[in-house]
Amino acid sequence: MEGWLARLESRHPLGQAGIELGLERVLRVKVALGQQLWCPLITVGGTNGKGSTCAYLEAIYAFAGYRVGCYTSPHLLAYNERVRIDRAAVGDEELCEAFATVEAARLAAGEVALTYFEFGTLAALEVFRARQVEVLILEVGLGGRLDAVNAYDPDCAVVTGIALDHTDWLGPTRESIAFEKAGIFRADTPALCADPDPPSSLVEHALAIGADLHVLGRDFGYFGDPVQWTFWRRDGLRRGGLANPGLRGAAQLRNACVALAAVELLKPRLPVSMQAARRGLIEPELAGRFQVLPGRPAVVLDVAHNPQAVGELVDSLGGMGFFARTIAVVGMLADKDIAGSLAPLAGKVDLWLLADLGVPRGASASVLAAVVTGASLGGSIECLASPAQAFARAVKLAGENDRIAVFGSFYTVAAVMRKIKDGR
């Protein structure tokens, strides 16, 4: 397995982080593989909330008795996390067989120069085809219109929300980003948007292609209290008495709501009982999304890495109750909006433990420190060589009534998770 992953990374100067948008390469190899969909597909895009929405959908359909294939990215500890069947990561042997199949097709198609993500997407479909899953859930890697996942026509497309991120590839405004994300919509097909104020470019594109657009707050939505919530649809459908979602965080009602909206729209093809839907909404599995570890001091792991996501993290932290101090363990990529992402934490952090990421796109701890200082965010600052070292320092300094918040990047959370797992 490690040999295959090393081969895939070596094909791009930035390894698994290498980005080259466009469908031409993946479509050529898809044709060579003879891949055609055999079951309903839900494609999930959006700036934040994609992974959570996929987790809800995956759990709902699994509890409804379907064999579910789910492809997400990036992974935290092992590549296998990206390719799941019945909520379990597939094994090395299956993945390596799929990699070999894709490699043969790539060579037959003229030695197409696939990126790491393109190769992995094609291989995931090979795994799912071999196991004949009954429902497919594919998470967009970046954008939508030109993402490898968009080589497959969905039966339902979900855009969880639109915020500023990946602006070098998707454009500098919500309008430009929304157009790219709306690229996963298809004519005469359900298209859901969980952004209550979608940019006009998304709405206009859906109208232009004849997609069946459903927008949060207009066509479906939710209301409730701290104990339970109700799903509603414009046609009068109500699903009441729903327990709060299993994933923690301020944004999870929105993610759960759009997942349930997709399930309701697909019921003619994929019948699901409300018992399965209720269970799926309260028993999803997803690491690193406002994940609160047991014990004291409190430790929160969150992959938030852009202004909207960090803002939602701050809202969720605010709902946790009183803590004597908040210690932030932060590592970020240099191409993110670092200043905008850290701004919501002004006056809310007592100690910043800032880390180098040690990856090509990583921002140095000193760059992060300059942002914290320059924006007068408050708190004392220490710079460390890695997220693992920063977390070890946090554990050493934290009292039992303190809180440690680890965020800023998948790389940051993954490094801390590995340290916790290894017990170092």
Side-chain angles (χ1 to χ4, degrees), residues 223 228-231 238-243 274 278:
F223 59 86
Q228 62 182 18
W229 62 289
T230 296
F231 169 86
R238 293 286 188 276
R239 303 295 187 193
L242 300 169
M274 275 310 299
R278 290 174 185 273

Side-chain angles (χ1 to χ4, degrees), residues 22-292:
L23 296 180
E24 187 271 338
R25 295 177 302 276
V26 72
L27 286 172
R28 283 173 60 188
V29 182
K30 179 190 172 195
V31 169
L33 287 164
Q35 288 184 348
Q36 293 184 340
L37 291 178
W38 62 95
C39 69
L41 163 64
I42 305 171
T43 299
V44 181
T47 306
N48 300 305
K50 298 189 298 291
S52 299
T53 302
C54 287
Y56 291 123
L57 289 167
E58 182 182 22
I60 289 169
Y61 284 115
F63 288 129
Y66 294 99
R67 185 180 303 114
V68 185
C70 188
Y71 174 63
T72 61
S73 64
H75 60 275
L76 285 168
L77 300 180
Y79 184 92
N80 310 57
E81 298 167 22
R82 297 180 179 224
V83 187
R84 300 188 298 276
I85 295 177
D86 294 337
R87 306 175 77 201
V90 303
D92 288 357
E93 184 176 351
E94 281 183 280
L95 280 172
C96 289
E97 288 179 4
F99 287 152
T101 300
V102 173
E103 177 66 2
R106 184 188 74 84
L107 295 173
E111 299 189 26
V112 180
L114 295 172
T115 67
Y116 183 98
F117 183 76
E118 291 169 342
F119 200 107
T121 302
L122 290 160
L125 266 292
E126 285 300 301
V127 171
F128 297 145
R129 179 166 66 170
R131 293 276 289 271
Q132 284 295 290
V133 302
E134 298 165 307
V135 185
L136 269 174
I137 303 163
L138 303 183
E139 178 188 350
V140 171
L142 192 156
R145 182 174 65 93
L146 299 176
D147 186 82
V149 163
N150 205 33
Y152 305 93
D153 292 326
D155 297 277
C156 179
V158 176
V159 172
T160 57
I162 301 101
L164 298 181
D165 199 6
H166 299 298
T167 53
D168 288 348
W169 293 280
L170 305 180
T173 66
R174 288 184 76 236
E175 288 287 342
S176 62
I177 292 171
F179 175 76
E180 294 298 327
K181 296 189 181 301
I184 65 174
F185 295 164
R186 296 294 191 273
D188 302 316
T189 300
L192 293 95
C193 181
D195 192 312
D197 183 26
S200 58
S201 58
L202 180 142
V203 177
E204 290 168 0
H205 178 71
L207 181 63
I209 67 170
D212 180 20
L213 181 63
H214 301 253
V215 178
L216 179 71
R218 186 192 75 179
D219 305 295
F220 68 97
Y222 61 91
F223 59 86
D225 55 42
V227 178
Q228 62 182 18
W229 62 289
T230 296
F231 169 86
W232 61 264
R233 207 165 62 183
R234 188 175 59 182
D235 62 3
L237 178 71
R238 293 286 188 276
R239 303 295 187 193
L242 300 169
N244 280 330
L247 298 176
R248 300 179 64 167
Q252 290 305 329
L253 265 177
R254 186 172 68 242
N255 297 330
C257 180
V258 74
L260 185 55
V263 168
E264 292 288 351
L265 286 168
L266 287 173
K267 273 188 175 179
R269 292 192 64 185
L270 295 169
V272 170
S273 70
M274 275 310 299
Q275 180 181 6
R278 290 174 185 273
R279 188 176 176 191
L281 291 173
I282 63 174
E283 295 185 41
E285 297 175 354
L286 190 63
R289 276 68 166 187
F290 202 73
Q291 181 181 1
V292 182

Side-chain angles (χ1 to χ4, degrees), residues 337-343 354 365-377 381:
D337 180 0
I338 295 173
S341 296
L342 299 185
L354 307 174
S366 60
V367 166
L368 300 180
V371 172
V372 173
T373 301
S376 301
L377 299 183
I381 298 171

